[in-house]
Amino acid sequence: MVAGLLKPDAGAISIFGIDALENPTAAKQIVAWVSDEPMIYERLTPFEFLEFVAGLWGVDAKLAEARARDLLAWLDLTPHMHERCEGFSKGMRQKVALASALVHDPRLIILDEPLTGLDAGSARLVKEVMRERVRRGDTVIMTTHILEVAERMADRIGVMAHGRLIAEGTLDELRRQAGQGGTSLEDTFLTLTAADSADLL
Amino acid sequence: MSTAGSLVWFARHELRLAWRDWTTLLTAGNRRRVRIIAIAILVVAALMHLIAYAMLSDFIKEGVQADKATLLSLTVSALLVWSVMLSQALESVTRAFYARADLDLILASPADARKLFMVRIAAIAVAAIGMAVLIAAPFINIMALCDSPRWLGTYVTALAMGLAAAAAAVALVEFLFRTLGPKRTRIAAQVVAAIIGAAFVIGLQTAAILSAGTISRFQVLQSDVVLSVVPGTDSLLWLPARALLGEPAAVVIFLVFAIAALVTAIVVFSARFGANALAAGTATRPSTRQQGGGQRFRPVSQTRALREKEWKLLRRDPWLLSQSLLQVLYLVPPAVLLWQSFGARHAAFILIVPILVMAAGQLAGGLAWLAISGEDAADLIASAPIAPRAITRAKVEAVIGAVALIFLPFLIALAIAAPREALATAAGILVAAGGATAIQLWFRVQAKRSHFRRRQTSSRLATFAEAFSSIGWAAAAALAASATWLALIPAFLAAAVLTGAWLASPTRA
């Protein structure tokens, strides 16, 4: 819904003060969404793909190209920038998708299971990218089933169960909510979701 | 009960999977549709028999003589059907190699995978036979009923043709595998399959136009020139034709030959099937360095970025190109006819009009599916800061632009030679392409581009609407080119088809 792919039945969505339902185009301009399955075109090269995405987001060509070259270099894709993506590994595809998400310099980045299928090196790179964006003042929302990653990386954590947000806050706040102190996120998560299941029953 | 891992056990397993695929295809998972589908099949079968009777009644009255003209026509028809069978079998063999599905499981098991490959090669033959028999059955039945029961032998001939097609397809794919390697065989085989299916009929029509000035291939086969150069009726060359006539000796010889060919193919190649499938699965695709690709970002509008992306993806996919531009191959005969008749006021121009309109409708339907439903990064496009209406408009422009690029040279040539026909053709192409694109918009279902061939099965209603709309506009354009008000009738019917499709479309619901 925040990325503009689904329409809510009710409620409002505000992204950095922009009403996403009233003005979806302006909201999309500052949002990037990276799916767990990289959304790229096999027959385009990373360079062409970034040019296409920059064109879609209406980014000035010169500025976009400079950003694209920086991103490709940062993600170790420069040697492959003029090769078609069809022969790329999952990790390389994910990096191309990540570069495309950043080429328009979004302020909100939504990542769906960004570490799935990545090798250790690529996973670290993705985590670095996220930390860097947060340091710059952007917002990163990441979904993950790897709770250790959430525990180590996230400032605030939301716990989803049965399609609902059942808890949200810092790790300490969640621990308090679960009535546990000093335990891992995994323990906290299991306590919260078990309580929710019991409530549903 | 068959022993696990035996030939019969694998055959039962394959049969069960095939049956479930087939019923799902027909009923779309809704079991309540079975009765409706069964009734529809019976109605269509009855209708086909009536059509066959209407087409064959004169032929039956005159009596079928095994003279040179008949044998030649039958041989050419058999080659035509066989080329389509071969095309289908080539597709199936390629799929058997490359669509891994359960192969990893079976090859990793202690069962003898060779037996599975034997069954799969036989299944490819059965599929090819099934298609030919489905089309030919009404004609065979009518001939058997009204002329002589010996025509039932034609069923056996169709069986033999399917076996021979499967054998040839297996040998051809194996040859491609050895010469081109696993990385390139898939595309090569699919392109060859697409071209084989069309090339024969197109070549024959082109030859007919060049030699006799007609688009009818059978007219040229009856000409004295052709009949004087073909061998006598006792030649072995006519064996397939005699088998089609149901002559018992010819049927038996042809069947024995086909069985021998398939058995040889199974024995020789089934052992290599596993190795080929493994090679196909592990073959990493070559990293294609894009030459001449832009070294600099160019300033483009959002809609232009979308249009250019569509054209670039289409240009770079030889398989999709061969599939979607296959219709363009059918333009070769009218192009030859246009070239031959150029400069003279010729009735042949009227003949070109519906062919061009029909081809434009079909081409636009395929391209629209690729651009609209076959969008591999649909969520990326949807999350871009561009209005959905602008996205749709850009995609429609990409489709119409590609159609215009292909048909403009024909229209210009036609406009110089016959302006009225050109005007009718241009109008026909515009509405047929627009109609086909609109249907794809109304019935859009997100899918992978690689599923292009399955697009016809995703919505049968859309497929039929697209075909009937194109046929209607083609007929309207042809009649309009003849300056008759009767053109309004097919135009009205085509518009009714489009309206019906819109009313029934899920988009509207």
Side-chain angles (χ1 to χ4, degrees):
Chain A
M1 285 181 199
V2 176
L5 302 175
L6 296 168
K7 281 214 166 104
D9 296 326
I13 300 170
S14 178
I15 304 168
F16 290 103
I18 300 169
D19 187 331
L21 300 179
E22 277 291 312
N23 196 352
T25 307
K28 285 174 176 180
Q29 194 72 52
I30 56 166
V31 177
W33 181 59
V34 183
S35 153
D36 59 339
E37 272 301 314
M39 294 180 293
I40 58 172
Y41 298 101
E42 301 240 311
R43 308 263 168 186
L44 294 188
T45 67
F47 191 78
E48 290 169 334
F49 183 57
L50 294 192
E51 184 186 17
F52 168 66
V53 175
L56 267 188
W57 258 262
V59 186
D60 173 71
K62 271 190 180 166
L63 180 67
E65 186 187 329
R67 268 189 210 148
R69 287 184 187 277
D70 285 348
L71 284 164
L72 291 171
W74 191 26
L75 294 162
D76 293 329
L77 285 170
T78 305
H80 308 286
M81 65 194 278
H82 294 303
E83 283 171 19
R84 291 188 195 172
C85 298
E86 57 200 356
F88 286 7
S89 66
K90 169 85 191 276
M92 282 172 77
R93 284 161 190 256
Q94 193 72 316
K95 285 198 273 186
V96 174
L98 191 65
S100 76
L102 300 177
V103 79
H104 63 277
D105 199 22
R107 296 193 60 198
L108 169 62
I109 305 163
I110 305 165
L111 301 137
D112 184 11
E113 298 280 0
L115 306 180
T116 309
L118 290 189
D119 59 86
S122 302
R124 172 171 283 188
L125 207 56
V126 171
K127 285 187 266 185
E128 274 173 19
V129 171
M130 287 189 277
R131 282 201 192 95
E132 169 63 23
R133 303 301 293 202
V134 172
R135 269 198 294 272
R136 276 185 33 176
D138 299 336
T139 301
V140 175
I141 299 174
M142 182 185 86
T143 65
T144 182
H145 284 94
I146 310 166
L147 299 183
E148 289 82 0
V149 172
E151 189 169 357
R152 262 188 280 130
M153 292 194 62
D155 296 324
R156 298 182 71 79
I157 298 165
V159 178
M160 302 277 298
H162 306 107
R164 292 185 304 119
L165 185 70
I166 57 167
E168 194 255 333
T170 62
L171 185 54
D172 284 338
E173 286 168 353
L174 290 184
R175 281 175 182 149
R176 275 199 295 276
Q177 201 174 328
Q180 296 172 329
T183 54
S184 68
L185 177 61
E186 191 176 40
D187 294 330
T188 308
F189 174 84
L190 290 173
T191 308
L192 288 168
T193 50
D196 182 68
S197 296
D199 286 349
L200 281 179
L201 287 172
Chain B
M1 286 293 285
S2 51
T3 318
S6 68
L7 207 60
V8 177
W9 185 81
F10 272 126
R12 281 185 57 211
H13 170 69
E14 290 293 303
L15 198 65
R16 181 170 53 188
L17 294 180
W19 174 252
R20 288 186 184 172
D21 274 351
W22 196 70
T23 49
T24 307
L25 195 72
L26 279 180
T27 63
N30 186 349
R31 285 187 168 272
R32 280 179 298 180
R33 283 192 189 171
V34 173
R35 190 179 294 176
I36 300 167
I37 299 282
I39 293 168
I41 289 172
L42 285 175
V43 171
V44 171
L47 203 67
M48 287 298 294
H49 279 80
L50 279 174
I51 293 170
Y53 181 75
M55 286 173 73
L56 297 172
S57 56
D58 287 347
F59 195 53
I60 295 163
K61 268 181 220 158
E62 286 169 17
V64 184
Q65 302 296 323
D67 53 16
K68 271 211 261 187
T70 306
L71 291 173
L72 182 61
S73 294
L74 281 173
T75 304
V76 168
S77 303
L79 265 173
L80 194 72
V81 174
W82 194 74
S83 67
V84 178
M85 282 177 159
L86 179 63
S87 167
Q88 191 194 352
L90 267 171
E91 272 283 333
S92 307
V93 175
T94 318
R95 255 202 316 276
F97 278 159
Y98 287 91
R100 298 289 295 250
D102 55 354
L103 277 188
D104 283 337
L105 173 72
I106 290 162
L107 291 174
S109 76
D112 183 3
R114 192 175 163 163
K115 287 174 184 161
L116 173 79
F117 296 130
M118 287 179 173
V119 171
R120 287 201 175 164
I121 294 174
I124 289 164
V126 170
I129 294 160
M131 189 198 69
V133 164
L134 213 64
I135 298 166
F139 298 91
I140 299 172
N141 293 345
I142 292 295
M143 290 304 286
L145 210 66
C146 303
D147 187 49
S148 159
R150 76 185 156 95
W151 282 99
L152 291 174
T154 310
Y155 278 115
V156 185
T157 309
L159 175 87
M161 284 168 70
L163 300 179
V170 170
L172 190 56
V173 173
E174 182 61 36
F175 170 75
L176 288 174
F177 230 88
R178 289 190 185 192
T179 49
L180 299 178
K183 289 175 189 169
R184 294 185 182 85
T185 294
R186 182 179 207 170
I187 295 289
Q190 285 169 332
V191 171
V192 168
I195 292 171
I196 280 179
F200 186 72
V201 62
I202 291 162
L204 207 59
Q205 271 183 344
T206 307
I209 292 162
L210 288 172
S211 58
T214 168
I215 209 152
S216 164
R217 56 186 175 273
F218 284 101
Q219 212 164 320
V220 77
L221 295 177
Q222 311 292 329
S223 68
D224 292 338
V225 184
V226 174
L227 291 176
S228 65
V229 293
V230 296
T233 52
D234 53 351
S235 168
L236 270 178
L237 187 77
W238 307 124
L239 190 76
R242 290 193 178 281
L244 276 176
L245 284 168
E247 289 182 16
V251 170
V252 171
I253 294 170
F254 194 39
L255 182 66
V256 168
F257 165 78
I259 290 173
L262 188 68
V263 169
T264 309
I266 288 175
V267 171
V268 174
F269 299 119
S270 65
R272 291 194 51 81
F273 241 66
N276 287 348
L278 280 175
T282 51
T284 50
R285 274 194 264 184
S287 76
T288 313
R289 220 172 163 79
Q290 200 54 52
Q291 299 298 329
Q295 297 297 311
R296 295 249 161 261
F297 279 17
R298 289 168 305 121
V300 289
S301 68
Q302 291 167 304
T303 48
R304 190 172 159 191
L306 275 167
R307 281 196 303 271
E308 288 188 352
K309 184 267 293 180
E310 292 302 336
W311 291 331
K312 205 179 273 181
L313 291 181
L314 190 67
R315 267 203 322 269
R316 289 185 185 174
D317 196 327
W319 178 67
L320 279 183
L321 205 62
S322 71
Q323 290 290 310
S324 56
L325 296 189
L326 197 60
Q327 289 93 341
V328 179
L329 268 182
Y330 290 100
L331 295 178
V332 173
V336 175
L337 195 60
L338 187 61
W339 170 64
Q340 268 234 320
S341 318
F342 203 79
R345 181 78 208 164
H346 206 286
F349 289 133
I350 304 281
L351 211 61
I352 297 166
V353 178
I355 299 173
L356 289 176
V357 174
M358 182 78 195
Q362 292 297 296
L363 180 68
L367 293 178
W369 185 90
L370 284 171
I372 297 160
S373 292
E375 171 58 71
D376 280 343
D379 285 347
L380 172 77
I381 308 281
S383 63
I386 172 170
R389 192 181 288 269
I391 295 171
T392 305
R393 202 182 62 227
K395 296 204 164 210
V396 170
E397 284 167 1
V399 173
I400 300 295
V403 173
L405 186 77
I406 289 161
F407 287 89
L408 211 57
F410 285 95
L411 283 175
I412 292 169
L414 197 57
I416 297 166
R420 192 181 63 211
E421 283 84 346
L423 196 67
T425 310
I429 286 175
L430 199 69
V431 282
T437 309
I439 290 168
Q440 288 303 326
L441 269 172
W442 298 332
F443 287 84
R444 64 169 83 181
V445 179
Q446 210 51 56
K448 284 195 151 303
R449 286 172 92 80
S450 50
H451 292 170
F452 180 65
R453 268 175 62 88
R454 282 189 231 160
R455 75 183 180 96
Q456 271 117 346
T457 57
S458 63
S459 170
R460 276 170 285 279
L461 187 62
T463 305
F464 284 123
E466 200 183 298
F468 285 122
S469 158
S470 294
I471 291 168
W473 294 123
L479 291 168
S482 313
T484 160
W485 287 105
L486 289 174
L488 289 174
I489 298 170
F492 173 78
L493 290 174
V497 167
L498 284 176
T499 311
W502 178 69
L503 289 171
S505 68
T507 312
R508 188 176 165 274

